[in-house]
Amino acid sequence: MKRGRPPTTKVSRRNRNLRGLKHEYEQFPWWMMLAIEQVEPPDETCSEMGLPRLMMEPPELSLHAMYFPFGFPAEVRTNSEIVLELFGGLWGRFSKQRDTEPIRCEVQLVEGRGTACPAVPTYRLMLPLMISIAGADNHCIVDLERAEAKIAISRAAARHPAYAQHFFLGMPACCIATRYATPVHAACVALNGRGVVLCGDSGAGKSTLAYGCARSGWTYVSDDGTYILDGGVDRHVTGNCHQVRFRPSAAKMFPEFEEYQTTPRAAGKPSIELPTAPMAHITCAQSSRADFICFLNRRTADSPQLIPFSKDSARRSMRQVLYGTKESLEKQYEAIEKLLTAEVFELKYSSLDWAVDRLQSLVVTGR
């Protein structure tokens, strides 16, 4: 008998067909499949199956405004005056300093499904996208390469300005940090046109020392976040000079803040956050040249002193907060190298007044 492939039968053909259907079914996105009742309604009274109205009919973003976070233009389009008010509270005090391509923000205010403040969002960095999600009604997608942001927030989130601003409406500033400037976890003050960048870990005393200097006649530039401009050329930096923020314990050093209540925070430790505009005794500026860099150390038991600090250690510390594409990181590293052409010190202290006086001596004498 001749050996070879067995004759094809109806049963074997049916098995092959079933295997093929099984493969196609496994490849098909099962979550798109409809139940039989949805495909063929049993009667005319059955409701139609459809996607949420927000997906099928997004609201018209007829309102428009320009803001200038850290001096860079940002164009906001939205369907709600509430959103513009929140943006105004976040970026409205800044004036235009740069003619860069505007960051484009589209923000939808949606009704949402609840009334309570939403949960802390989950973040995902899927370069070039940065994503923040707190459920179906609150999310933000930022394209770092195209400098665009798509945001949806619920009315419940909008009722909590600190939450909405911190987690969603402030997200477009990530485009500044990866496209136009380099962020440094530092405060900045200036005296006689010479700036001092105050670096250190959280709780090192950056904000307290920055305000202590401003209270003594220095110019206040920023208290916690400083940005290197123009790729580090001329070591020019900027920050948020329109706000000062302290830990509640700072009221013991500054009696003028004893009557103020702790500000509810969307994230991080409790703090006292105040605008600088009403503070007539404070001089503010949106930018300054950085002539000195000081890493703060107020936890030491040693005698107070200002000593040279390792630039390798400074470099490692500054690089910790950087993120973005490979190309943007290379530019940020270059900006940090140019900033590090300034003299770098470690300031060991326990007395705020002594630290302010020592920094003044550094600026005046250069040592």
Side-chain angles (χ1 to χ4, degrees), residues 213-250:
C213 288
R215 199 168 174 245
S216 299
W218 293 57
T219 298
Y220 178 79
V221 180
S222 66
D223 75 335
D224 190 46
T226 299
Y227 291 80
I228 308 171
L229 298 171
D230 306 322
V233 176
D234 293 330
R235 300 197 299 265
H236 208 59
V237 300
T238 189
N240 187 354
C241 66
H242 304 292
Q243 174 185 279
V244 62
R245 182 176 60 218
F246 307 107
R247 299 284 173 84
S249 58

Side-chain angles (χ1 to χ4, degrees), residues 46-91:
C46 180
S47 60
E48 294 184 1
M49 173 63 180
L51 293 172
R53 183 176 180 182
L54 178 62
M55 296 178 63
M56 299 298 291
E57 302 177 23
E60 181 183 359
L61 306 181
S62 58
L63 302 177
H64 168 268
M66 289 289 292
Y67 301 95
F68 302 96
F70 303 111
F72 295 91
E75 180 183 28
V76 177
R77 294 188 180 277
T78 182
N79 62 325
S80 171
E81 290 282 357
I82 296 174
V83 170
L84 296 184
E85 291 175 6
L86 291 171
F87 266 102
L90 189 62
W91 305 120

Side-chain angles (χ1 to χ4, degrees), residues 6 10 30 38 51 103 107 124 128 134 143 166 177 189 215 231 235 256 264 273 277 304 309 327 332 346:
K10 290 183 179 181
W30 61 268
Q38 295 168 335
L51 293 172
I103 300 167
V107 186
R124 291 290 183 268
D143 189 323
H166 179 83
V189 289
R215 199 168 174 245
R235 300 197 299 265
E256 60 266 37
E273 298 181 13
F309 189 73
E327 294 75 15
Q332 291 173 335
E346 179 181 12

Side-chain angles (χ1 to χ4, degrees), residues 46-315:
C46 180
S47 60
E48 294 184 1
M49 173 63 180
L51 293 172
R53 183 176 180 182
L54 178 62
M55 296 178 63
M56 299 298 291
E57 302 177 23
E60 181 183 359
L61 306 181
S62 58
L63 302 177
H64 168 268
M66 289 289 292
Y67 301 95
F68 302 96
F70 303 111
F72 295 91
E75 180 183 28
V76 177
R77 294 188 180 277
T78 182
N79 62 325
S80 171
E81 290 282 357
I82 296 174
V83 170
L84 296 184
E85 291 175 6
L86 291 171
F87 266 102
L90 189 62
W91 305 120
R93 300 185 186 94
F94 289 85
S95 61
K96 184 178 180 180
Q97 300 289 313
R98 292 290 188 273
D99 287 318
T100 54
E101 179 184 354
I103 300 167
R104 291 177 292 277
C105 309
E106 294 184 0
V107 186
Q108 299 178 10
L109 182 72
V110 300
E111 290 301 324
R113 298 174 175 81
T115 58
C117 183
V120 173
T122 297
Y123 292 95
R124 291 290 183 268
L125 184 60
M126 304 172 67
L127 294 174
L129 303 181
M130 178 172 281
I131 305 168
S132 174
I133 303 174
D137 301 320
N138 296 278
H139 51 267
C140 173
I141 301 176
V142 180
D143 189 323
L144 299 175
E145 285 188 347
R146 301 177 63 181
E148 294 180 350
K150 308 283 189 180
I151 304 171
I153 62 170
S154 63
R155 287 194 178 275
R159 294 189 190 101
H160 299 83
Y163 175 91
Q165 292 169 336
H166 179 83
F167 288 123
F168 295 105
L169 303 186
M171 286 282 285
C174 296
C175 297
I176 296 173
T178 57
R179 189 179 180 93
Y180 301 127
T182 299
V184 181
H185 187 201
C188 182
V189 289
L191 182 66
N192 300 331
R194 308 188 79 185
V196 181
V197 175
L198 305 174
C199 302
D201 297 331
S202 179
K206 299 182 295 294
S207 300
T208 302
L209 184 52
Y211 179 75
C213 288
R215 199 168 174 245
S216 299
W218 293 57
T219 298
Y220 178 79
V221 180
S222 66
D223 75 335
D224 190 46
T226 299
Y227 291 80
I228 308 171
L229 298 171
D230 306 322
V233 176
D234 293 330
R235 300 197 299 265
H236 208 59
V237 300
T238 189
N240 187 354
C241 66
H242 304 292
Q243 174 185 279
V244 62
R245 182 176 60 218
F246 307 107
R247 299 284 173 84
S249 58
K252 297 178 182 178
M253 290 178 281
F254 307 124
E256 60 266 37
F257 298 136
E258 288 181 350
E259 62 184 38
Y260 289 95
Q261 299 294 320
T262 300
T263 303
R265 294 297 310 281
K269 297 182 179 180
S271 63
I272 299 173
E273 298 181 13
L274 300 169
T276 55
M279 301 179 185
H281 60 292
I282 297 294
T283 301
C284 299
Q286 279 191 200
S287 61
S288 171
R289 175 184 164 87
D291 294 278
F292 305 97
I293 302 170
C294 288
F295 281 78
L296 306 186
N297 183 354
R298 65 175 182 179
R299 300 186 181 96
T300 180
D302 298 337
S303 59
Q305 56 183 323
L306 183 72
I307 58 177
F309 189 73
S310 165
K311 290 196 176 185
D312 286 338
S313 297
R315 181 181 298 108

Side-chain angles (χ1 to χ4, degrees), residues 32 44 162 167 196 303 316 343 349:
M32 293 181 63
E44 295 181 356
F167 288 123
V196 181
S303 59
R316 286 193 295 271
E343 294 187 77
Y349 71 102

